[in-house]
Amino acid sequence: MSATAPANDPTFDNVWDEIVWRGLVQVSTDQEALRALLSGDPITYYCGFDPTAPSLHLGNLVQLLTMRRLQLAGHRPLGLVGGSTGLVGDPRPTAERTLNERATVEEWVGYLRVQVERFLSFDGDSAARMVNNLDWTAPLSAIDFLREIGKHYRVGTMIKKDAVAARLNSDAGISYTEFSYQILQGLDYLELYRQYDCVLQTGGSDQWGNLTSGTDLIHRVEGVSVHAIGTPLITNSDGTKFGKSEGNAIWLDPAMCSPYRMYQFWLNTDDADVVSRLKVFTFLTRAEIEEYGRLVDAEPFRREAQKRLAREVTVFVHGPDAASAVIAASEALFGRGDLSALDARTLRSALEELPNATIASGTPVTQALVETGLVSSLGEARRAIAQGGVSVDGMKVDDEAAVVPGTLPGGVSVLRRGKKTLAGLFIG
């Protein structure tokens, strides 16, 4: 299964106009200067990713896609993984971060580097380069840091930054460690400007104080103006935080969030959100996205826009083979495919997203219905079978003494009550 090849839309005059149309600019330095900069000769730009977890998530995917769009326009990306800033952590709104062990951070740096590399091109005139800010902060003594960098910062300005101000007004307060994070990020931009002539940084709009820390520092030290773009924090139309599912982030690592779960996440996008998601998370053209917008209005029940969104992002993140497997699983679970033809790993990950239970071999279907919560009692289970509303592995159950076969790939079974209520059974 293929998805749209990464390419910018040629109907836009330049990449700046396209990223504005896609809703990727919440805040920025001088917009006219940025438009001219991105329309001219190739520049070097960067985005940083801190190893505060062993995987990137959907919020980071916004940055990775923005980086890729700029690279497709001929500009040169620097992917920074924060081996030093990951040891500190930027200020959270309410409480101090738990500092991870150095070995853990180093391990996570490796994981994140591999993930970032998957989304950029390292060939051609606009080849990407990976950098680690530990390379220039580790050799720097505390005295040198204070003399050469710290002297350019004013505490009055630093405490006005949103993240810092929120913490100063909280019961938890803020440590000097987290307070100093914005200086470290400013140092990163300065070093990348000096080493690679980097003149643009992208990041989330919630990091705007840290982004401008770098632009201000470079202006003071080097006497030049550089730029920053803050992308919007993606929220759902009802105002809830995007990318959260019952408190669990949608991670890019398949070991932390299965391709099936990612596919279903996008498939369940609300009609009110799907067009904006297509703009941000796919390389579909403006004309294609506008057509999907019309389909949402005219035939929302077909969910064509959601299907295309789910397919595009799953292919982009996990590859065409994984996307094909999860789409086949999704269709088979709802009666439009052969369950026995699915690969065991994909089927198992799909069933883990459903109500499920681990049962012993030979467990009666009636008991399985109770254990998965599809019914509340054995009596209700028997009535459901008598009424013809129960099936296992796509086969109708008409005998209340029937047992769960567990013969699908991987030794599992799919239990159904009615047309749409499913549960997974693992034989253990």
Side-chain angles (χ1 to χ4, degrees), residues 192-341:
L192 295 177
Y193 171 78
R194 287 172 169 172
Q195 292 185 41
Y196 304 103
D197 194 27
C198 179
V199 293
L200 172 63
Q201 180 183 184
T202 68
S205 59
D206 60 334
Q207 293 286 310
W208 187 243
N210 293 329
L211 298 177
T212 56
S213 173
T215 60
D216 292 345
L217 178 62
I218 293 171
H219 190 264
R220 292 193 192 99
V221 175
E222 302 291 341
V224 299
S225 294
V226 294
H227 294 278
I229 295 173
T231 60
L233 299 183
I234 309 298
T235 58
N236 296 320
S237 57
D238 61 3
T240 57
K241 190 172 182 179
F242 167 76
K244 297 289 184 180
S245 176
E246 299 179 356
N248 298 316
I250 304 298
W251 302 100
L252 304 190
D253 186 336
M256 297 176 65
C257 175
S258 71
Y260 181 85
R261 183 176 170 220
M262 174 170 281
Y263 179 80
Q264 291 296 320
F265 171 83
W266 295 107
L267 197 61
N268 290 326
T269 301
D270 191 270
D271 287 345
D273 297 318
V274 68
V275 170
S276 64
R277 300 289 185 265
L278 286 167
K279 289 181 178 181
V280 172
F281 291 100
T282 78
F283 288 94
L284 297 183
T285 65
R286 174 165 47 183
E288 288 173 309
I289 292 172
E290 289 173 349
E291 176 59 26
Y292 278 113
R294 287 190 283 272
L295 289 174
V296 170
D297 291 338
E299 301 176 318
F301 57 92
R302 295 188 183 279
R303 300 188 69 77
E304 294 297 331
Q306 284 87 345
K307 292 175 185 175
R308 185 65 182 273
L309 173 65
R311 188 180 80 197
E312 292 284 327
V313 182
T314 305
V315 170
F316 188 66
V317 174
H318 294 299
D321 291 343
S324 295
V326 299
I327 291 171
S330 181
E331 293 179 347
L333 284 172
F334 290 94
R336 297 187 298 276
D338 183 2
L339 286 167
S340 63

Side-chain angles (χ1 to χ4, degrees), residues 129-141:
R129 182 191 297 264
M130 297 299 298
V131 293
N132 183 342
N133 56 19
L134 191 62
D135 292 342
W136 53 83
T137 54
L140 194 63
S141 73

Side-chain angles (χ1 to χ4, degrees), residues 37-55:
L37 185 72
L38 294 174
S39 301
D41 294 336
I43 65 163
T44 299
Y45 62 98
Y46 95 96
C47 184
F49 304 90
D50 273 348
T52 54
S55 174

Side-chain angles (χ1 to χ4, degrees), residues 13 104 164 183 208 284 297 315 351 355 374 380 391 399:
D13 290 338
T104 299
V164 173
I183 304 179
W208 187 243
L284 297 183
D297 291 338
V315 170
L351 297 186
L374 297 191
E380 185 180 354
S391 66
D399 180 1

Side-chain angles (χ1 to χ4, degrees), residues 332-336 388-391 414-423:
L333 284 172
F334 290 94
R336 297 187 298 276
V390 176
S391 66
V414 178
L415 184 61
R416 182 192 304 270
R417 183 187 180 193
K419 291 184 178 181
K420 296 184 178 180
T421 306
L422 301 175

Side-chain angles (χ1 to χ4, degrees), residues 357-361 363-364 367-368 371-372 404 425-428:
T358 299
I359 59 174
S361 177
T363 296
Q367 184 64 36
E371 293 195 20
T372 55
V404 176
L425 296 170
F426 305 107
I427 311 302

